[in-house]
Amino acid sequence: MDYASLLNEQQLAAVKTTSQHVRIIAGAGSGKTRVLTYRISYLISNMGVDPSKILAIAFTNKVAAEMKDRACKLVPDSAFFLHVSTFHSFCARFLRAESKAINYPIGFTIFDEDDQTALVKNIAVDFGYKKGDKIVKMALDYIRDKKCRGEYPEDIVINREAFDEEKECLRFFAAYEEKKTAMFCLDFDDLLLKTIKVLVDNPDIQYRWSHRFDHILVDEFQDTNDVQYKLMKLLMRSDTSVYVVGDPDQTIYTWRGANQNIILNFTKEFPDAETIILDRNYRSTKTILDAANLLISKNKKRVPKNLYTLDGAGEAIDIKRLPNAEGEAKYVIQQIMKLANKTTPPNYKNIAVLYRSSYATRPFEAEFAAHGIPYRVFGGLRFYQRMEVKDVLAYFRLLLNPLDDVSFERIANVPKRGVGDTSIDTIRAEAKQANLSEYNYMLTLNPSESNLSPRVITAMTVLLGKMEATKKKLLDNFEVYSSVLKDFITDIGYYAYIAEDEDVDEDRVANVNALFDDITHFIANNPESTFDDYLQNVTLLTSQDDMNEGNYVSLMTIHIAKGLEFDYVFVIAMNEGSFPSMRAENESGHDGKEEERRLAYVAMTRAKKRLFMTCNTGYSFVSDSHAIPSEFFEDAGLKFPPTEYQEGYGDYHSGYGRPDHSTGWKTTHQGTSSFFSDGDAIDPFQKEPEPEVAEAKPATNGITDWKVGDIAVHEKFGEGEVLSIIDNSIIVVNFVSCGKKTLLANHPMLSRKASKGGLA
């Protein structure tokens, strides 16, 4: 392979280096993924490295898959042997391989944030609180903060409380760990911490794994935290080659534990390290890069570099200050319409609206809907977090791990089988008394010794019988597990249960079917995989892993936008107190300001062709005053035009000035979950029907003989053709107005206009 013809001078040096310790400072849009994949190819093809001796770590599953796919195209014979994953995925596989060292079964369950919350809420009830009490969130934040620092309850000694209720939070933490361990469950932080503990406590295991890899490559190294760095060093020998790629100017996750000093001090840790800077940008115009370079040059903690491009200057950056948030939204939407309407039909898919905090989107979403512009908010509900998907996954997890009480309580009354909160409380108490998990307690229940009603006992006995039968089928392995699982979900009546949901904007049956499509796709791509492997994969997905292309405007926080690029980028709500965030500055001082500036730098460098940056001067409840433009405009050398206030964007209010920071600011705390979850594409063309007087309706439509090809009429969805029939009780109809919907065949809102053979 002629690498010199495929790479620029710096990229080629980065790919061919023979140094043992290498730090690649890769500026935004400089082709770092290309360098990493060609480096893997070069190691195998030109340096004779065994591909199984290479471990590559990426920041998200999506990037890991892309990196492995690209590398495998360059060295196709090595595909099976390459190890490319995230830190968490690597640790999950490590712990399953070394499960005896932590006294866990191979099929342990991985908790996501929702599972953590459910468990802490149950602990709150045990402690005499209500599930909605403030202590629940305090305890969750405390647990996550301590584990991010690598601490467990036994490591914490409180001589003087750092805040009110710290001792109570520690009590929650201890109960959380005890209950989680009893269920053989691990949360995301456990994956790293338990892996480190196994390596530290077992020299033989550490020796074996450190000799498994000769080359360790880490992407997005600037966002590595202390725990991940410790893990990386435990996997090294004195002669292991380490190759890290990152950009200190894009460190934006310190609030989640990222330690910028790790990449900045790499040459102190490894004095022989070679540093190569990739500063040629292949994404943005010269105008955008010049402004971004000027902005980030105001930071002190960085490796100096200036991004450049061989392409043209491009169009000027459009900056605008509007009188209020509504006017700002109107301006942005009008510019988006101009860009999209350059083609027929309008093209929205290369347009993104980025913001510091999620609350900024309210007036923009209203304006999108008013103009009929499709958009999708990344940071809302991800596919794997949807109610029906989490229900089905909870069943699957319980099939693998009968000690998982969180999953048991989620599905006990889904579909409804008369097992209410009181019954759940009884099961929980009796199972605790018997020293059994809730599933195993119900499986071995003696009805005469329980306070549960006969009706509840019967319902649960039927359900658990079906689950045990499904477990046997999975063990028999006669069919692909996707088929066995779909039969089980159908058998327990879950399809019929969610088909009753008449939400126009959400086809829940279709979402469950999409989940099974996903399982089938996973099996096809990983034919040797197990059901356990699939569950691990979906639990470790992030927001970007859910992203797919569609003709809509993308709205997301800058944290989510990291690593992405768009032709046209709008950075909105750039006001002092909001962006930069006064909360970040108050909590972290100068370091907080530098991180906020890095966020602005990341936002600006997402743009390929044009960059728009806006703010408004309306009254702000964040700053308790009239808003003023972010200082980042000035830092980037951007000046507002003298005649910027235009008609049609609201009334201009001139009474504003820089807030007095000494008096404090009203801040809105944004939880970390807002940075890592997705939502649906919103169809603004759907309108609410006019309210009507409710009439008594029959319980069913009386139709029991639907056929493929029949013409159905639905009171909400209109007319459509029957495409398929599921179990004679559910039909899939392709409606003219809104596409495919999965419905109960006998629903009273459904009628038949014509059968396949003629009129009804």
Side-chain angles (χ1 to χ4, degrees):
M1 185 182 300
D2 183 9
Y3 291 96
S5 66
L6 299 168
L7 303 165
N8 68 34
E9 185 178 348
Q10 296 109 316
Q11 290 174 336
L12 184 63
V15 166
K16 297 179 69 174
T17 179
T18 57
S19 298
Q20 181 183 353
H21 304 116
V22 183
R23 178 179 67 170
I24 307 297
I25 304 297
S30 62
K32 69 179 180 63
T33 304
R34 184 178 182 83
V35 167
L36 274 166
T37 52
Y38 276 91
R39 173 64 175 176
I40 292 171
S41 169
Y42 189 83
L43 288 174
I44 297 169
S45 302
N46 295 67
M47 297 179 68
V49 175
D50 181 344
S52 68
K53 292 286 188 178
I54 298 173
L55 173 64
I57 299 294
F59 195 63
T60 68
N61 287 281
K62 185 176 183 179
V63 173
E66 178 187 357
M67 193 188 303
K68 185 170 184 178
D69 181 63
R70 286 198 200 181
C72 290
K73 288 177 181 176
L74 296 174
V75 280
D77 294 339
S78 303
F80 180 78
F81 304 99
L82 281 175
H83 302 276
V84 185
S85 70
T86 63
F87 273 114
H88 288 95
S89 294
F90 170 82
C91 290
R93 286 199 297 273
F94 172 92
L95 291 173
R96 295 196 193 284
E98 306 291 350
S99 59
K100 290 181 180 179
I102 58 172
N103 295 316
Y104 268 48
I106 293 177
F108 60 78
T109 296
I110 302 174
F111 269 6
D112 62 16
E113 289 187 359
D114 287 348
D115 301 318
Q116 286 182 286
T117 301
L119 181 54
V120 171
K121 284 182 176 180
N122 285 343
I123 293 169
V125 172
D126 291 343
F127 286 174
Y129 296 97
K130 295 179 181 177
K131 290 185 176 182
D133 284 350
K134 182 180 178 181
I135 191 66
V136 170
K137 186 179 185 308
M138 289 178 65
L140 279 166
D141 289 344
Y142 184 78
I143 291 167
R144 290 166 183 162
D145 177 68
K146 292 299 182 183
K147 297 185 82 165
C148 186
R149 300 170 188 268
E151 298 178 3
Y152 280 102
E154 58 270 23
D155 304 317
I156 302 169
V157 177
I158 301 176
N159 294 318
R160 183 177 178 182
E161 287 190 327
F163 60 91
D164 291 342
E165 306 292 346
E166 184 183 6
K167 289 183 179 178
E168 186 68 349
C169 286
L170 179 56
R171 188 163 77 105
F172 268 79
F173 191 3
Y176 170 82
E177 289 300 320
E178 182 182 349
K179 287 180 177 291
K180 181 169 54 63
T181 301
M183 292 188 283
F184 289 135
C185 296
L186 298 175
D187 59 31
F188 284 2
D189 292 314
D190 286 325
L191 295 175
L192 277 74
L193 296 177
K194 297 291 186 186
T195 296
I196 288 173
K197 182 171 176 55
V198 170
L199 292 170
V200 169
D201 292 349
N202 300 273
D204 56 327
I205 295 177
Q206 193 273 335
Y207 179 88
R208 187 166 68 248
W209 281 84
S210 64
H211 282 75
R212 182 168 294 192
F213 305 111
D214 294 337
H215 291 262
I216 298 176
L217 299 85
V218 184
D219 190 16
E220 301 288 4
F221 194 65
Q222 77 281 347
D223 289 322
T224 300
N225 62 35
D226 293 337
V227 173
Q228 293 165 336
Y229 189 49
K230 183 176 183 180
L231 171 61
M232 185 193 85
K233 291 199 290 185
L234 284 168
L235 294 172
M236 293 171 55
R237 309 181 306 275
S238 60
D239 60 342
T240 301
S241 293
V242 179
Y243 188 96
V244 301
V245 181
D247 182 5
D249 290 339
Q250 296 186 69
T251 302
I252 59 173
Y253 290 107
T254 61
W255 52 271
R256 206 176 63 184
N259 184 353
Q260 188 190 24
N261 291 324
I262 293 174
I263 189 170
L264 291 175
N265 296 333
F266 188 80
T267 52
K268 294 180 180 178
E269 183 84 15
F270 303 100
D272 64 335
E274 178 184 11
T275 294
I276 299 172
I277 295 177
L278 305 181
D279 52 6
R280 179 179 172 184
N281 179 281
Y282 290 87
R283 176 187 300 155
S284 306
T285 65
K286 182 179 185 300
T287 298
I288 294 171
L289 293 179
D290 286 348
N293 286 332
L294 185 58
L295 170 82
I296 202 63
S297 69
K298 305 296 189 294
N299 275 9
K300 304 299 181 186
K301 296 179 68 173
R302 60 190 299 261
V303 176
K305 69 176 185 306
N306 265 316
L307 297 181
Y308 72 94
T309 179
L310 299 183
D311 296 332
E315 296 189 54
I317 297 172
D318 187 302
I319 66 169
K320 196 69 64 177
R321 174 172 50 184
L322 286 305
N324 50 46
E326 287 70 26
E328 184 182 2
K330 287 181 180 180
Y331 176 78
V332 168
I333 272 62
Q334 287 195 9
Q335 300 310 305
I336 287 175
M337 291 170 67
K338 289 179 183 178
L339 294 171
N341 289 332
K342 291 179 180 179
T343 62
T344 303
N347 182 6
Y348 298 103
K349 67 181 181 180
N350 282 313
I351 303 173
V353 177
L354 309 183
Y355 37 85
R356 173 62 180 88
S357 300
S358 298
Y359 61 75
T361 67
R362 180 196 55 77
F364 293 85
E365 292 190 62
E367 202 66 25
F368 277 122
H371 287 82
I373 298 175
Y375 67 100
R376 184 175 181 185
V377 181
F378 294 91
L381 200 63
R382 300 201 330 251
F383 174 77
Y384 296 103
Q385 289 181 324
R386 292 186 173 108
M387 176 199 79
E388 60 279 8
V389 175
K390 284 199 70 85
D391 286 346
V392 173
L393 289 176
Y395 270 112
F396 293 172
R397 287 165 49 170
L398 200 55
L399 286 169
L400 273 182
N401 181 7
L403 304 186
D404 185 352
D405 290 344
V406 170
S407 292
F408 177 87
E409 292 186 13
R410 182 181 185 97
I411 59 86
N413 199 39
V414 177
K416 295 187 183 301
R417 49 180 69 93
V419 185
D421 290 344
T422 302
S423 297
I424 293 291
D425 290 341
T426 301
I427 294 171
R428 187 187 303 130
E430 293 182 359
K432 183 177 181 180
Q433 183 70 26
N435 199 28
L436 292 170
S437 72
E438 292 165 21
Y439 181 95
N440 285 339
Y441 173 71
M442 292 305 300
L443 197 62
T444 59
L445 178 69
N446 182 344
S448 64
E449 298 176 356
S450 174
N451 291 321
L452 292 169
S453 71
R455 175 176 49 82
V456 169
I457 293 173
T458 299
M460 294 305 297
T461 299
V462 171
L463 172 64
L464 268 57
K466 292 179 178 181
M467 294 187 72
E468 290 298 306
T470 302
K471 284 185 187 180
K472 184 177 184 304
K473 290 180 181 178
L474 290 171
L475 289 172
D476 289 342
N477 202 27
F478 294 144
E479 303 175 76
V480 292
Y481 54 83
S482 57
S483 176
V484 173
L485 297 170
K486 190 167 187 178
D487 287 345
F488 166 68
I489 291 300
T490 303
D491 186 37
I492 63 173
Y494 191 79
Y495 271 114
Y497 165 69
I498 55 175
E500 296 173 0
D501 190 331
E502 291 297 338
D503 186 347
V504 174
D505 294 322
E506 190 74 71
D507 190 338
R508 300 198 183 280
V509 171
N511 287 339
V512 173
N513 284 333
L515 176 64
F516 283 108
D517 288 343
D518 186 57
I519 296 174
T520 302
H521 179 72
F522 183 81
I523 294 172
N525 288 332
N526 305 274
E528 302 299 319
S529 69
T530 64
F531 176 36
D532 196 16
D533 293 330
Y534 174 77
L535 284 182
Q536 171 187 304
N537 181 67
V538 299
T539 305
L540 297 176
L541 291 176
T542 68
S543 294
Q544 287 194 10
D545 297 318
D546 276 348
M547 291 185 180
N548 50 58
E549 291 189 4
N551 191 24
Y552 48 75
V553 179
S554 298
L555 279 70
M556 65 188 76
T557 64
I558 300 165
H559 287 93
I560 291 178
K562 175 85 162 46
L564 304 178
E565 61 183 24
F566 302 89
D567 286 349
Y568 308 104
V569 170
F570 293 79
V571 188
I572 63 169
M574 292 193 65
N575 292 100
E576 282 294 314
S578 297
F579 192 16
S581 162
M582 186 50 57
R583 177 170 173 261
E585 290 189 69
N586 286 342
E587 291 183 355
S588 304
H590 182 71
D591 286 345
K593 173 65 70 63
E594 290 215 347
E595 175 135 353
E596 292 293 298
R597 191 176 284 114
R598 291 193 294 268
L599 261 181
Y601 175 78
V602 167
M604 294 172 72
T605 54
R606 300 311 94 199
K608 296 169 69 176
K609 296 179 179 179
R610 289 196 67 185
L611 174 63
F612 299 77
M613 301 169 70
T614 64
C615 65
N616 71 80
T617 58
Y619 186 83
S620 168
F621 287 95
V622 174
S623 61
D624 198 16
S625 67
H626 283 278
I628 60 175
S630 168
E631 62 196 82
F632 295 153
F633 285 106
E634 183 178 353
D635 285 351
L638 301 172
K639 296 182 179 180
F640 293 101
T643 56
E644 59 184 335
Y645 293 106
Q646 303 174 23
E647 293 183 8
Y649 298 122
D651 296 326
Y652 169 59
H653 193 294
S654 60
Y656 72 97
R658 179 174 291 273
D660 180 0
H661 291 187
S662 65
T663 63
W665 294 64
K666 291 183 179 179
T667 59
T668 303
H669 176 66
Q670 297 296 308
T672 58
S673 61
S674 66
F675 296 131
F676 295 102
S677 52
D678 278 354
D680 292 326
I682 297 173
D683 181 2
F685 301 102
Q686 297 284 3
K687 294 183 178 179
E688 290 294 323
E690 293 296 321
E692 299 177 355
V693 178
E695 298 179 1
K697 292 183 179 291
T700 71
N701 58 23
I703 304 174
T704 59
D705 59 345
W706 286 102
K707 296 180 179 63
V708 174
D710 284 357
I711 303 300
V713 177
H714 191 280
E715 292 179 16
K716 277 191 177 181
F717 307 142
E719 189 173 301
E721 181 181 355
V722 177
L723 298 182
S724 62
I725 300 166
I726 304 172
D727 298 334
N728 294 320
S729 60
I730 298 172
I731 60 174
V732 179
V733 182
N734 186 24
F735 289 101
V736 175
S737 64
C738 56
K740 287 194 288 188
K741 297 288 183 182
T742 311
L743 311 166
L744 284 176
N746 63 355
H747 198 283
M749 296 179 73
L750 198 61
S751 61
R752 180 162 53 198
K753 180 178 180 180
S755 65
K756 192 171 183 180
L759 295 177

